[in-house]
């Protein structure tokens, strides 16, 4: 049997409201199926199943607000042999269901003892569901707040305030815990902008590309060369991720932002990447993101170029270990073949976690992004 | 189609892209980027919607040069079939 729990959709998400069940008891469930809709500080989110099976029991009804890790439903899972399996979470690995089998770091165990938190009641977010200090801290913070009924849907102003609080918590934690280092480089954007212009000249508006997708693709490919930046901080070390899921920062109208993942960014052709990017922006702004899009980014790309900013140094979103910023493409004097000409250039920045990488590797990463952008047709 | 009709249709599209915008507060001088906070994705969606609804495919270079609602309406008024 698998517990389907309220997923953690951001480093500082504490609770969520179950809005709607998309499946009924007895329904067959496939991995990736959206089975529930949850409202969090970031808006409505479709939550996917991460196992195949059958919905056995619904534990939490619509309209109920519960802490992260609370069991929402139980899924009878079926292995290829037909056996039922042990407890697994719907969205991420979870600790085993008995105290004797709880996987937790030594630091988390010490903290749990200090704060009086029952480890077996927690959902670990570390490797193989191991409970980490952050999980214990979160549980301690939630301890005084009993689950409460969501009588009415929060107003837009309340949502905005909650999102602000969530961003504040995540960014404060990041600046408190992560020793950032910062690098910047200025890249010739002429090849990228001329390639985009040529492409778009022959396309209907609905098929056109934005320079942003070239930036995102270049970042994804550069991560193959410097994989430590495609890591998450777990158990006191940086753990490289196999998949490159670039999170793209999307500003929401009225304030706030989200940075959902484009899965397997490095493998996508530019046209497909643009299609997914457009879809992601549309769904982010209409509150229809999926849980995996919140939980899976391995790095974030952000830009304030549309707002006229020439360079920005982002704050890393934990547990990620890097964030890449792109500024506005601007015309600047540039040396080409010994002559100074006016050239479109873009400032690319890297904020990275010094616990995981050094400036030398960060510099190689930025150099790779620059180099990749010089041949946009190959992206 | 008269200019005011063009404006009404464009404002209708903008309301879909930027639902928080109050249509009655939009004027010819309203800056699409500064006042309405449209980003490049919003502008691409605007250009696509104009193409779908009016059959006008605004080139990228022209779209970049259009700053205000009045300029956009004027552009459509000149070019629309």
């Amino acid at each position: 049997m698998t517990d389907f729990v309220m997923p953690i959709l951001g480093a500082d998400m504490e609770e969520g409201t179950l809005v709607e069940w998309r499946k009924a008891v007895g329904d067959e469930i496939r991995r990736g199926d959206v089975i529930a809709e949850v409202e969090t500080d970031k808006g409505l989110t479709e939550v996917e199943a991460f196992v195949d099976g059958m919905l056995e029991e619904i534990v939490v009804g619509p309209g109920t607000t519960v802490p992260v890790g609370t069991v929402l439903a139980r899924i009878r899972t079926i292995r290829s042999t037909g056996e039922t399996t042990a407890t697994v979470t719907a969205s991420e690995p979870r600790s085993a269901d008995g105290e004797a089998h709880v996987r937790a770091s030594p630091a988390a165990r010490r903290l749990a003892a200090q704060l009086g938190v029952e480890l077996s009641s927690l959902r670990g977010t570390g490797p193989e569901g191991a409970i980490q200090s952050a999980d214990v801290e979160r549980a301690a913070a939630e301890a005084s707040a009993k689950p409460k009924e969501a009588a009415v849907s929060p107003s837009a102003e309340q949502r905005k305030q909650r999102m602000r609080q969530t961003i504040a918590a995540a960014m404060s934690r990041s600046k408190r815990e992560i020793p950032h280092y910062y690098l910047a480089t200025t890249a010739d954007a002429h090849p990228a902008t001329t390639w985009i212009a040529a492409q778009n000249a022959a396309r209907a508006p609905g098929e056109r590309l934005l320079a942003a997708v070239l930036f995102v693709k270049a970042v994804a490919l550069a991560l193959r060369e410097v994989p430590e930046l495609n890591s998450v901080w777990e158990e006191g070390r940086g753990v490289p991720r196999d998949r490159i899921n670039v999170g793209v920062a999307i500003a929401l109208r009225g304030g706030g932002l989200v940075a959902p993942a484009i899965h397997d960014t490095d493998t996508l052709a530019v046209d497909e990447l643009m299609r997914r990017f457009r879809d992601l922006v549309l769904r982010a702004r209409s509150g229809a993101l999926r849980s995996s899009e919140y939980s899976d980014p391995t790095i974030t790309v952000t830009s304030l170029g549309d707002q006229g900013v020439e360079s920005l140094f982002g704050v890393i979103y934990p547990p990620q270990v890097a964030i890449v910023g792109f500024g506005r493409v601007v015309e600047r004097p540039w040396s080409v073949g010994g002559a100074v000409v006016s050239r479109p250039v873009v400032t690319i920045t890297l904020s990275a976690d010094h616990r995981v990488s050094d400036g030398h590797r960060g510099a190689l990463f930025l150099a790779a992004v620059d180099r990749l952008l010089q041949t946009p047709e190959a992206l | 189609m008269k200019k005011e009709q063009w404006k009404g249709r464009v404002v209708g599209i903008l309301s879909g892209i930027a639902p928080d915008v109050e249509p009655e507060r939009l004027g010819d001088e309203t800056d699409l980027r500064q006042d309405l906070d449209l980003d490049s994705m919003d502008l691409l969606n605007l250009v696509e919607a104009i193409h779908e609804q009016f059959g006008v495919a605004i080139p990228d270079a022209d779209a970049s040069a259009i700053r205000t609602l009045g300029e956009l309406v004027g552009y459509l008024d000149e070019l629309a079939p």
Side-chain angles (χ1 to χ4, degrees):
Chain A
M1 194 74 73
T2 293
D3 288 344
F4 178 78
V5 303
M6 176 62 73
I8 182 166
L9 304 175
D12 291 274
M13 174 179 161
E14 295 183 351
E15 62 182 20
T17 301
L18 191 288
V19 175
E20 179 187 0
W21 285 106
R22 299 280 187 86
K23 298 281 185 182
V25 170
D27 281 358
E28 185 184 352
I29 289 169
R30 294 280 180 199
R31 180 184 171 90
D33 282 355
V34 174
I35 60 177
E37 197 170 291
V38 164
E39 177 146 29
T40 72
D41 303 341
K42 296 175 179 178
L44 287 175
T45 303
E46 295 176 331
V47 186
E48 304 135 288
F50 277 65
V51 292
D52 295 332
M54 189 254 299
L55 188 57
E56 177 83 6
E57 179 190 2
I58 287 177
V59 179
V60 170
T64 308
T65 300
V66 296
V68 164
T70 301
V71 175
L72 303 176
R74 294 196 169 85
I75 299 171
R76 181 168 296 280
T77 54
I78 300 171
R79 285 182 175 155
S80 57
T81 59
E83 298 173 54
T84 55
T85 66
T87 300
V88 187
T89 64
S91 58
E92 286 183 0
R94 161 179 188 150
S95 58
D97 54 357
E99 179 71 44
H101 306 294
V102 169
R103 293 173 58 85
S105 69
R109 288 184 186 281
R110 278 196 301 274
L111 191 60
Q114 288 168 7
L115 299 176
V117 173
E118 186 72 22
L119 281 177
S120 62
S121 67
L122 301 188
R123 171 176 175 275
T125 57
E128 298 179 26
I131 296 166
Q132 304 179 101
S133 298
D135 300 321
V136 178
E137 288 172 352
R138 189 163 45 243
E142 290 163 359
S144 59
K146 293 194 319 193
K148 50 191 178 290
E149 295 293 320
V152 291
S153 190
S155 67
E157 188 55 37
Q158 286 172 321
R159 282 199 191 96
K160 191 173 161 184
Q161 201 169 36
R162 284 170 54 186
M163 174 172 278
R164 203 66 257 158
Q165 289 169 342
T166 300
I167 293 170
M171 295 299 97
S172 298
R173 178 181 158 203
S174 175
K175 292 296 272 186
R176 191 171 59 243
E177 297 181 1
I178 300 175
H180 289 62
Y181 70 85
Y182 306 96
L183 303 175
T185 192
T186 302
D188 182 0
H190 179 73
T193 54
T194 51
W195 187 81
I196 288 275
Q199 290 288 316
N200 286 350
R203 294 172 181 235
E207 303 298 320
R208 289 180 190 167
L209 303 169
L210 295 176
V213 293
L214 296 184
F215 298 159
V216 169
K217 184 67 185 289
V219 165
L221 293 177
L223 287 171
R224 289 180 177 175
E225 300 179 32
V226 189
E228 59 265 48
L229 294 179
N230 190 61
S231 301
V232 292
W233 181 258
E234 288 177 348
E235 294 288 296
R237 67 192 180 96
V239 180
R241 288 295 196 227
D242 292 335
R243 298 172 69 186
I244 294 173
N245 303 324
V246 175
V248 287
I250 299 169
L252 303 181
R253 296 199 66 82
L257 81 161
V258 292
I262 299 175
H263 290 100
D264 303 310
T265 320
D266 57 321
T267 67
L268 301 175
V270 166
D271 279 325
E272 175 62 12
L273 187 54
M274 182 67 196
R275 191 190 66 74
R276 294 204 193 181
F277 185 34
R278 286 191 77 170
D279 176 59
L280 207 57
V281 173
L282 181 69
R283 288 190 293 108
R285 290 178 174 164
S286 60
L289 291 173
R290 301 189 182 106
S291 54
S292 61
E293 290 164 340
Y294 279 120
S295 60
D296 290 353
T298 53
I299 193 169
T300 297
V301 169
T302 182
S303 173
L304 291 174
D306 284 334
Q307 288 70 40
V309 168
E310 292 190 25
S311 62
L312 75 157
F313 293 90
V315 179
I316 299 167
Y317 195 77
Q320 296 166 40
V321 300
I323 180 169
V324 182
F326 285 87
R328 182 184 181 194
V329 175
V330 290
E331 290 282 335
R332 288 284 180 270
W334 197 258
S335 176
V336 178
V340 176
V341 298
S342 180
R343 199 81 161 175
V345 300
V346 62
T347 299
I348 311 166
T349 65
L350 171 71
S351 306
D353 187 335
H354 221 325
R355 299 172 299 182
V356 179
S357 66
D358 298 320
H360 178 75
R361 296 293 289 168
L364 290 177
F365 169 78
L366 283 184
V369 175
D370 184 345
R371 188 188 72 245
L372 288 159
L373 285 174
Q374 302 315 306
T375 53
E377 66 282 0
L379 289 174
Chain B
M1 197 184 299
K2 291 179 180 174
K3 265 195 174 182
E4 276 309 305
Q5 290 173 305
W6 279 117
K7 184 177 173 184
R9 300 280 296 274
V10 171
V11 167
I13 294 171
L14 286 171
S15 298
I17 294 171
D20 51 315
V21 167
E22 296 173 37
E24 61 276 12
R25 301 186 70 169
L26 299 181
D28 285 349
E29 292 306 311
T30 300
D31 191 299
L32 299 174
R33 295 169 185 80
Q34 300 272 326
D35 297 332
L36 302 188
D37 196 21
L38 299 189
D39 62 17
S40 50
M41 188 67 82
D42 293 324
L43 291 168
L44 182 60
N45 290 333
L46 174 63
V47 169
E48 182 186 16
I50 286 170
H51 182 233
E52 285 177 353
Q53 293 192 26
F54 311 140
V56 177
I58 304 176
D60 268 4
D62 291 354
S64 300
I66 292 171
R67 191 177 56 84
T68 66
L69 176 59
E71 289 172 3
L72 176 57
V73 169
Y75 183 94
L76 294 171
D77 192 46
E78 280 188 23
L79 286 189

